[in-house]
Amino acid sequence: MLVLQGTIPLEIIAEQKITMWLFIYHLITPCFVFCLAEEGNKGYGPVFEEQPIDTIYPEESSDGQVSMNCRARAIPFPTYRWKLNNWDIDLTKDRYSMVGGRLVINNPEKSRDAGKYVCVVSNIFGTVRSSEATLSFGYLDPFPPEERYEVKVREGVGAVLLCEPPYHYPDDLSYRWLLNEFPIFIALDKRRFVSQTNGNLYIANVEASDKGNYSCFVSSPSITKSVFSKFIPLIPQSDRAKVYPADIKVKFKDTYALLGQNVTLECFALGNPVPELRWSKYLEPMPATAEISMSGAVLKIFNIQYEDEGLYECEAENYKGKDKHQARVYVQASPEWVEHINDTEKDIGSDLYWPCVATGKPIPTIRWLKNGASFRKGELRMQSLTFDDAGMYQCIAENTHGIIYANAELKIVASPPTFELNPMKKKILAAKGGRVIIECKPKAAPKPKFSWSKGTELLVNGSRIRIWDDGSLEIINITKLDEGRYTCFAENNRGKANSTGVLEMTEATRITLAPLNVDVTVGENATMQCIASHDPTLDLTFIWSLNGFVIDFEKEHEHYERNVMIKSNGELLIKNVQLRHAGRYTCTAQTIVDNSSASADLVVRGPPGPPGGIRVEEIRDTAVALTWSRGTDNHSPISKYTIQSKTFLSEEWKDAKTDPSDIEGNMESATVIDLIPWMEYEFRIIATNTLGTGEPSMPSQRIRTEGAPPNVAPSDVGGGGGSNRELTITWMPLSREYHYGNNFGYIVAFKPFGEKEWRRVTVTNPEIGRYVHKDESMPPSTQYQVKVKAFNNKGDGPFSLTAVIYSAQDAPTEIPTDVSVKVLSSSEMSVSWHHVTDKSVEGYQIRYWAAHDKEAAAQRVQVSNQEYSTKLENLKPNTRYHVDVSAFNSAGYGPPSRTIDIITRKAPPSQRPRIISSVRSGSRYIITWDHVKAMSNESAVEGYKVLYRPDGQHEGKLFSTGKHTIEVPVPSDGEYVVEVRAHSEGGDGEVAQIKISGAAAGVPTLLLVLVVPALGVLACSGF
């Protein structure tokens, strides 16, 4: 029994309680943290599987909600919360709901919900923030309701129709233009262009055919909405066509592009004739991924790279003049990781350097978050780590173009040394005279101190023995005395442990017969010898390498073969040696303990390698100078070079004509001659020696020869005919290889036979081989002399041979006479007429149209001048038609005859006869049917037609009768079909049919089948 005497002051009691609680805290805290570290071996912090992305919500959307996705995996399961513009979102409000980490916003409003969203995910190991995602509201307002002003432009002058798109977001609109009505969109070509930058429609030079009403059609793919403007009337003003120099109106601006993006540059010029557009990069070749489209108006650079940055130029030219525009393309880049952080486990008390490096343009800045809170900037170094340093870290790299996150978990561990997971090897082998490293890798935190013993002898560093910082033991120059038991001791402030293994010595591996240098010619075989000695208790393998790369015998079995039949022999056979097999071969004899190597060189003689460094210089119209550097001669001197060329006209490489004609092997320059002016060429060079012809060089940069005046005249000049008061001139257009220059076209000269002065006109389209001259004073069928020559920006070519042609004859002036029309049925009528006396008439045109239709809707039938009549078919029953006839020739149509009105018959009866009996009476069948009654809008029944034919055939015997019965003979063989139809002035009605047989007496089975009459059958049968 403990008895307390006296009184203890309250201050002493309070001080003792505080001391006790401090003792308990220091006792529990390490235990809790250690337990947390142990739990960390099983669990982990949040790892994002899905993060929110930028979202555009259409203001007119009927969905009524928008969602931001966020999903992470973690053990234990994480919790989620969301921030909007760095303020916590109150998820208890009805406007928000959460499904897992997915945030759903009901009835979103621009004023309350637009902004930057961040998903924050946490568990006991730490907190991470997602990348920021912007929620914006998309819209595309309608065009203003005001009418657009009409645009009047003289023919030949350029025009610009302004789109002026309405207010919108985002700025990703696409533009097209409607012509007159939806959905007729104008087709873009060399003369017309729609800018996707501002939506304007550009017409290089206005033609009469451009007349119409135009509307700008705007689409927003982000919100799947389209609107179109009020129509703009374009009225071309007739004028004598004038020519105007090129004038660039669509000018691309200085452009900033992100690495890897696709870049589009626009350039379009007004002018008459339509200017040619050319693109170039100042003082540099165009990017390999560049593509020109829209008749030259659009340059696209796909997957743009830093080397594509530079000054780009668009040049527009026609034969009246040229215009140029330049602007610069800058290439920058969003941040991209060069090295980023990963989940890391560090010993307590150790140091941490976490490299986090990003590239970009401008150079990104680096900042850090720890458990979702701002931590540091720049590189991260931490010394003497404690449990408080554990958590979720985020490295953030950002520049003006973007931001990227790298997330990782840092775990701090503490444990005494243990060899349970990684004990020392029980048996360690080492080669005599060699080197051995015995590893000692216990699990321990903090890092332990190491010591070694052999048996009972404590080992220290010496000339042959060294203990490394990581605990490994190294012994060199192994002897028999080094055999024995080795023990590694590991100790830290939490405990100690040891592990033991036995070292045994083996005989060293040695190359006894090394490979020798070999010299062969392409196609021959070569042998490399290699024999080695080794410890008989160990397996020996041979490894061959070429220039440091191990040979894969499975993949290279066609050329490499190894001798596996003789033990300790690694001989290598190289079959059908090629140039690529030349080099230094190394044979390595290897056991699990040691290895030995020896090397030799294989020299392969063969055809030369490809020349390099091709440069094209002194570019002229028909010649260029080439220089190059010698390729490898592959141990046989080069005897000659061959130059080949290729144009876009053909994918085939052809030998080029050169000066000198024979290019000797010691030369590194030559002139290529007899080239086509103003033609794009690529060149390559092939070297030859006594062992053969080598591979061709890489193609040169594509160049274009200088231009020259054309020297070939168009062929097949002729023409004639055409419409009234016209002279049609035709020729065979020259192919591209004969253009010889830019602004290529034709000069057409013509004059009436016997006159001295030639009239000349210019045709600027190089693909057209036809010109029509109109002159109201031109007499018909007049003899003309014509000739054609080509021209370009360098001058004119020679004229073709002079051809004789005739102007168009006059259209007929006579009216066909005695036109008569006879109705044949409800759907047919025949028309006849007397010929006109004009010998130039090529045929006759018959027009016919229903009285209730307009004359413009008339249908037309044309027949040759040998015909006096024709049949009109597929007419409507009981309908009044107007019919006229006119003569025509190549110059046009003559005046029509007087119009004749005529009404087609009523339609034939639609009711088919109903066959009620088929009775055999001796050698006859009696077929009976009900009378057909015509309806009020049908022709009256005049009688019946009966076709008697063998089954399976279309032809037979036709009978006509006014009765409801008929007798037909009994078939002598097989089955026959009897067809019955009503007949009227409107034609024949529908058919009823029955099959009869001569096999037995009695009433046959009736087979009533509806058949729509076949006109061909009726014609063949006389219906």
Side-chain angles (χ1 to χ4, degrees):
M1 181 176 181
L2 178 64
V3 179
L4 296 178
Q5 294 182 350
T7 303
I8 301 175
L10 292 174
E11 292 84 353
I12 296 176
I13 295 174
E15 184 178 344
Q16 288 177 343
K17 287 183 178 180
I18 291 171
T19 303
M20 179 182 68
W21 280 113
L22 286 173
F23 172 76
I24 294 172
Y25 172 78
H26 286 293
L27 183 67
I28 292 176
T29 299
C31 179
F32 171 75
V33 173
F34 181 75
C35 292
L36 185 61
E38 289 298 312
E39 177 67 21
N41 293 331
K42 302 174 184 177
Y44 55 89
V47 178
F48 281 113
E49 293 184 332
E50 185 178 14
Q51 299 191 54
I53 59 174
D54 291 343
T55 301
I56 297 175
Y57 179 79
E59 290 186 359
E60 300 177 7
S61 173
S62 58
D63 292 347
Q65 63 176 217
V66 64
S67 59
M68 308 292 280
N69 293 334
C70 181
R71 187 174 74 253
R73 53 183 168 84
I75 299 178
F77 194 79
T79 59
Y80 297 87
R81 55 192 175 92
W82 283 84
K83 288 179 174 287
L84 170 58
N85 299 328
N86 279 330
W87 291 89
D88 285 333
I89 294 177
D90 185 357
L91 297 175
T92 61
K93 293 184 177 180
D94 292 339
R95 297 187 64 250
Y96 303 105
S97 58
M98 286 266 287
V99 180
R102 179 167 169 259
L103 174 67
V104 178
I105 306 170
N106 298 307
N107 300 317
E109 300 175 10
K110 183 177 181 179
S111 59
R112 301 168 64 179
D113 299 312
K116 294 183 177 180
Y117 287 75
V118 174
C119 173
V120 183
V121 189
S122 305
N123 73 357
I124 61 173
F125 293 105
T127 300
V128 289
R129 292 166 59 103
S130 72
S131 55
E132 288 183 345
T134 301
L135 174 61
S136 51
F137 287 72
Y139 61 93
L140 175 59
D141 288 348
F143 276 93
E146 292 79 18
E147 296 293 332
R148 298 283 189 109
Y149 293 109
E150 66 181 21
V151 178
K152 295 182 178 180
V153 185
R154 294 197 313 276
E155 291 180 13
V157 177
V160 181
L161 301 185
L162 302 181
C163 178
E164 298 178 338
Y167 293 114
H168 58 274
Y169 182 85
D171 194 15
D172 61 347
L173 302 182
S174 64
Y175 301 91
R176 292 186 290 174
W177 280 77
L178 295 168
L179 177 59
N180 294 328
E181 60 180 338
F182 182 86
I184 301 175
F185 294 96
I186 66 166
L188 303 183
D189 51 29
K190 196 174 183 179
R191 197 172 58 85
R192 296 180 292 191
F193 176 70
V194 175
S195 171
Q196 296 303 309
T197 301
N198 55 28
N200 294 343
L201 169 62
Y202 297 83
I203 304 176
N205 53 66
V206 171
E207 298 177 353
S209 60
D210 293 323
K211 182 178 181 180
N213 297 311
Y214 292 77
S215 172
C216 182
F217 188 87
V218 182
S219 299
S220 173
S222 298
I223 62 173
T224 61
K225 181 181 178 182
S226 299
V227 295
F228 56 88
S229 70
K230 289 286 187 178
F231 281 95
I232 304 172
L234 176 62
I235 305 174
Q237 303 291 297
S238 179
D239 192 9
R240 182 170 172 267
K242 296 181 180 179
V243 291
Y244 300 95
D247 181 14
I248 296 178
K249 290 298 184 184
V250 179
K251 300 180 179 181
F252 58 99
K253 300 178 181 179
D254 285 350
T255 303
Y256 286 84
L258 292 182
L259 185 71
Q261 280 187 340
N262 300 334
V263 176
T264 300
L265 306 180
E266 295 182 340
C267 178
F268 190 76
L270 310 185
N272 189 24
V274 178
E276 294 283 341
L277 298 170
R278 292 188 296 274
W279 291 86
S280 61
K281 187 181 180 188
Y282 185 66
L283 297 180
E284 294 182 71
M286 288 284 280
T289 59
E291 182 180 287
I292 297 172
S293 59
M294 300 298 292
S295 300
V298 173
L299 170 67
K300 283 190 176 182
I301 306 173
F302 296 91
N303 188 26
I304 196 166
Q305 301 298 305
Y306 288 124
E307 58 267 24
D308 299 331
E309 186 173 271
L311 188 65
Y312 286 80
E313 179 179 276
C314 170
E315 181 181 78
E317 182 179 9
N318 61 16
Y319 73 85
K320 285 293 291 182
K322 66 171 64 175
D323 193 9
K324 291 184 179 180
H325 171 69
Q326 291 181 333
R328 187 167 291 277
V329 174
Y330 299 91
V331 181
Q332 300 198 333
S334 303
E336 187 174 330
W337 291 119
V338 175
E339 186 176 9
H340 61 79
I341 58 176
N342 293 294
D343 291 345
T344 301
E345 191 175 275
K346 298 292 287 186
D347 295 345
I348 190 169
S350 64
D351 298 337
L352 170 69
Y353 167 59
W354 234 346
C356 190
V357 183
T359 184
K361 190 176 180 182
I363 297 174
T365 59
I366 301 293
R367 59 187 176 92
W368 295 80
L369 302 179
K370 178 185 177 184
N371 292 326
S374 181
F375 186 56
R376 290 186 188 176
K377 294 183 179 180
E379 68 175 21
L380 181 61
R381 293 181 183 272
M382 302 170 68
Q383 287 80 34
S384 302
L385 294 172
T386 67
F387 287 117
D388 290 337
D389 296 316
M392 299 300 300
Y393 288 78
Q394 292 178 276
C395 176
I396 303 173
E398 58 185 322
N399 65 10
T400 55
H401 301 298
I403 180 170
I404 53 176
Y405 291 72
N407 305 341
E409 181 180 359
L410 175 63
K411 288 186 177 180
I412 307 300
V413 295
S415 66
T418 174
F419 286 92
E420 289 182 5
L421 299 178
N422 194 21
M424 279 179 56
K425 292 181 179 179
K426 296 302 180 183
K427 183 178 180 181
I428 304 108
L429 300 178
K432 180 180 179 181
R435 166 176 172 267
V436 68
I437 295 176
I438 307 175
E439 292 184 340
C440 180
K441 293 185 176 181
K443 180 181 179 182
K447 180 181 177 180
K449 295 181 179 180
F450 296 97
S451 59
W452 283 83
S453 69
K454 179 189 175 188
T456 58
E457 176 188 0
L458 186 65
L459 300 177
V460 295
N461 289 339
S463 59
R464 291 196 314 113
I465 296 177
R466 180 187 171 197
I467 301 174
W468 290 4
D469 289 340
D470 68 353
S472 298
L473 175 66
E474 178 184 16
I475 307 173
I476 61 175
N477 298 327
I478 300 292
T479 67
K480 191 72 174 176
L481 296 176
D482 292 319
E483 291 184 328
R485 293 173 60 84
Y486 288 80
T487 302
C488 173
F489 299 91
E491 182 177 1
N492 65 11
N493 59 6
R494 294 184 175 272
K496 55 186 176 181
N498 63 75
S499 185
T500 300
V502 176
L503 176 64
E504 295 182 2
M505 190 191 75
T506 64
E507 291 296 323
T509 303
R510 297 284 185 266
I511 298 288
T512 57
L513 186 58
L516 300 175
N517 294 340
V518 181
D519 189 325
V520 296
T521 300
V522 168
E524 295 180 346
N525 294 341
T527 301
M528 291 279 190
Q529 60 187 11
C530 186
I531 297 178
S533 64
H534 65 290
D535 191 295
T537 64
L538 302 176
D539 291 329
L540 177 67
T541 59
F542 289 90
I543 298 172
W544 282 92
S545 61
L546 171 58
N547 297 327
F549 294 94
V550 175
I551 297 172
D552 187 330
F553 285 88
E554 288 188 6
K555 290 184 179 179
E556 298 281 349
H557 66 276
E558 291 184 2
H559 294 284
Y560 290 108
E561 188 177 298
R562 189 168 45 188
N563 189 342
V564 296
M565 302 300 294
I566 305 175
K567 191 176 181 182
S568 301
N569 188 340
E571 181 180 83
L572 173 67
L573 173 62
I574 310 170
K575 301 175 292 184
N576 188 19
V577 174
Q578 301 299 309
L579 291 172
R580 68 178 183 273
H581 297 140
R584 190 164 188 80
Y585 284 80
T586 300
C587 172
T588 301
Q590 178 175 291
T591 67
I592 60 171
V593 177
D594 66 340
N595 63 71
S596 179
S597 298
S599 301
D601 292 322
L602 174 64
V603 175
V604 181
R605 302 181 187 275
I614 301 179
R615 293 171 60 90
V616 185
E617 302 168 339
E618 301 177 24
I619 301 172
R620 300 189 292 277
D621 56 351
T622 60
V624 298
L626 290 186
T627 60
W628 62 89
S629 58
R630 295 168 56 87
T632 57
D633 62 10
N634 291 323
H635 311 287
S636 180
I638 297 172
S639 57
K640 70 170 186 176
Y641 289 100
T642 302
I643 298 178
Q644 294 184 327
S645 65
K646 184 178 74 168
T647 70
F648 76 92
L649 299 175
S650 172
E651 290 298 316
E652 180 183 357
W653 287 93
K654 298 179 180 179
D655 289 353
K657 195 171 182 180
T658 61
D659 182 20
S661 57
D662 295 324
I663 307 173
E664 297 180 357
N666 59 356
M667 297 177 65
E668 294 186 6
S669 65
T671 301
V672 183
I673 59 176
D674 290 352
L675 299 176
I676 300 173
W678 202 65
M679 179 62 68
E680 290 184 347
Y681 278 96
E682 290 178 284
F683 300 95
R684 69 181 188 182
I685 303 175
I686 303 173
T688 302
N689 62 15
T690 57
L691 297 176
T693 298
E695 293 292 320
S697 67
M698 292 292 292
S700 69
Q701 178 184 343
R702 183 177 297 175
I703 61 96
R704 175 180 284 169
T705 52
E706 292 292 324
N711 64 6
V712 177
S715 61
D716 295 339
V717 176
S723 299
N724 197 16
R725 303 293 186 264
E726 288 184 353
L727 177 66
T728 302
I729 304 169
T730 60
W731 62 93
M732 179 64 69
L734 293 177
S735 60
R736 167 63 182 83
E737 60 189 297
Y738 297 112
H739 287 189
Y740 287 11
N742 199 10
N743 295 327
F744 182 85
Y746 301 97
I747 295 175
V748 181
F750 57 94
K751 68 182 181 69
F753 195 84
E755 291 189 8
K756 292 183 178 181
E757 187 174 345
W758 293 83
R759 293 191 60 178
R760 298 189 178 198
V761 293
T762 300
V763 177
T764 58
N765 189 334
E767 298 176 1
I768 287 180
R770 186 173 185 267
Y771 171 73
V772 178
H773 176 67
K774 296 184 178 182
D775 186 349
E776 292 300 323
S777 63
M778 183 187 302
S781 302
T782 302
Q783 191 179 55
Y784 276 82
Q785 291 177 298
V786 297
K787 57 185 180 180
V788 183
K789 68 177 178 180
F791 74 90
N792 61 22
N793 60 337
K794 295 294 184 179
D796 296 351
F799 268 114
S800 66
L801 296 175
T802 301
V804 176
I805 63 174
Y806 291 85
S807 62
Q809 55 198 355
D810 274 341
T813 57
E814 289 186 66
I815 299 174
T817 59
D818 293 337
V819 177
S820 66
V821 181
K822 181 180 180 182
V823 175
L824 302 179
S825 68
S826 63
S827 61
E828 295 176 332
M829 65 175 70
S830 67
V831 183
S832 62
W833 60 92
H834 282 177
H835 284 188
V836 299
T837 59
D838 189 345
K839 300 298 183 183
S840 70
V841 168
E842 298 174 3
Y844 294 88
Q845 175 178 270
I846 299 88
R847 296 191 309 159
Y848 60 98
W849 65 98
H852 59 267
D853 290 337
K854 294 182 179 180
E855 184 177 350
Q859 299 189 59
R860 293 166 171 81
V861 174
Q862 291 185 347
V863 297
S864 73
N865 59 6
Q866 303 297 317
E867 302 293 334
Y868 288 83
S869 66
T870 190
K871 182 189 287 187
L872 305 181
E873 301 175 327
N874 299 320
L875 304 176
K876 296 178 181 177
N878 198 26
T879 301
R880 179 183 296 276
Y881 277 90
H882 302 314
V883 183
D884 65 27
V885 181
S886 59
F888 69 85
N889 60 17
S890 61
Y893 296 94
S897 67
R898 65 180 180 85
T899 302
I900 296 178
D901 289 357
I902 194 163
I903 301 175
T904 54
R905 306 254 199 266
K906 291 183 179 181
S910 58
Q911 179 186 348
R912 56 194 169 279
R914 187 170 71 89
I915 300 175
I916 56 177
S917 70
S918 174
V919 179
R920 180 171 178 175
S921 175
S923 61
R924 315 283 292 176
Y925 268 106
I926 303 172
I927 313 294
T928 307
W929 59 89
D930 282 342
H931 177 60
V932 172
K933 294 182 180 180
M935 301 178 68
S936 61
N937 61 344
E938 295 176 343
S939 299
V941 176
E942 296 178 346
Y944 297 91
K945 291 182 179 180
V946 180
L947 179 64
Y948 177 68
R949 61 177 176 84
D951 189 18
Q953 297 184 19
H954 297 297
E955 296 183 2
K957 188 173 182 180
L958 181 64
F959 301 92
S960 294
T961 179
K963 302 178 181 179
H964 304 158
T965 183
I966 196 168
E967 293 184 8
V968 294
V970 174
S972 59
D973 184 26
E975 288 187 324
Y976 270 61
V977 176
V978 179
E979 295 181 354
V980 183
R981 57 174 62 82
H983 174 66
S984 71
E985 66 174 8
D988 296 332
E990 295 189 9
V991 173
Q993 72 176 27
I994 181 175
K995 286 184 179 180
I996 60 176
S997 173
V1003 179
T1005 303
L1006 294 181
L1007 175 61
L1008 302 180
V1009 181
L1010 264 177
V1011 178
V1012 176
L1015 295 177
V1017 175
L1018 298 179
C1020 293
S1021 304
F1023 273 55

